């Protein structure tokens, strides 16, 4: 894969210029990576939207069973969809992000689906793949 889905400018822009992040796979389990990353971004001023069939409320935010439901009920645009699902399920979530008009998708460390990334790019979304938002934030020393 190389750096095809790790453009430095895209990463910085998504971390600094976006407001609303939907986290697919975010539940109220504090032992999960999605919970840590959502909490980190929330502490840095991002609005997080939990998307998980069992998520009623996570980190003080109401949860939604699907991205489509979140898009319907959340009044602002969803800037980034962070997909915390196994790689074999990531493509479906990427396609759903495209369908709801998200601005970008972010797949964390170990979640790689290059075909889905290409589909998202072709649809006009920014794509970051196999990168951790928290690590990327720290590397750039973003306040």
């Amino acid at each position: 894969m190389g750096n095809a889905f790790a453009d430095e400018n895209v990463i910085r822009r998504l971390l600094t210029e976006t407001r609303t992040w939907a986290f697919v796979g975010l539940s109220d389990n504090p032992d999960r990576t999605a919970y840590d990353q959502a909490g980190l971004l929330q502490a840095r001023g991002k609005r997080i939207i939990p998307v998980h069939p069992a998520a009623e409320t996570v980190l003080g935010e109401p949860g939604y069973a699907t991205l489509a439901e979140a898009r319907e009920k959340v009044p602002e645009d969803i800037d980034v969809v962070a997909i915390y699902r196994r790689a074999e399920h990531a493509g479906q979530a990427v396609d759903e992000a495209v369908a709801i008009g998200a601005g970008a998708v972010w797949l964390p460390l170990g979640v790689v689906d290059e075909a889905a990334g290409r589909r998202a790019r072709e649809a006009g979304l920014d794509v970051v793949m196999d990168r951790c938002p928290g690590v990327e934030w720290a590397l750039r020393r973003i306040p």
Side-chain angles (χ1 to χ4, degrees):
M1 180 182 78
N3 291 329
F5 296 105
D7 181 280
E8 294 292 322
N9 295 321
V10 171
I11 291 170
R12 179 172 289 281
R13 186 167 27 81
L14 294 182
L15 293 175
T16 60
E17 298 178 15
T18 60
R19 162 100 176 98
T20 305
W21 286 54
F23 275 77
V24 174
L26 175 59
S27 70
D28 62 357
N29 183 346
D31 295 329
R32 303 298 302 229
T33 302
Y35 190 93
D36 289 338
Q37 293 303 304
L40 176 109
L41 290 178
Q42 186 181 54
R44 286 165 172 78
K46 307 296 182 192
R47 173 161 187 213
I48 58 110
I49 300 168
V51 178
H52 189 287
E56 290 187 23
T57 302
V58 181
L59 296 167
E61 290 284 347
Y64 302 94
T66 66
L67 276 172
E69 180 186 8
R71 174 63 271 155
E72 179 183 313
K73 295 182 178 177
V74 173
E76 65 257 22
D77 290 337
I78 295 174
D79 299 316
V80 181
V81 174
I83 300 170
Y84 283 80
R85 302 276 325 271
R86 290 190 311 260
E88 61 265 26
H89 301 293
Q92 178 182 349
V94 168
D95 294 340
E96 291 171 9
V98 170
I100 66 158
V105 292
W106 188 301
L107 285 71
L109 290 172
V111 181
V112 176
D113 185 333
E114 292 186 36
R118 286 190 297 275
R119 289 194 306 274
R121 273 205 183 137
E122 289 168 7
L125 280 70
D126 286 322
V127 179
V128 175
M129 189 179 301
D130 199 25
R131 295 291 185 265
C132 172
V135 169
E136 298 300 326
W137 196 290
L139 286 172
R140 285 157 186 75
R141 295 184 172 96
I142 299 169

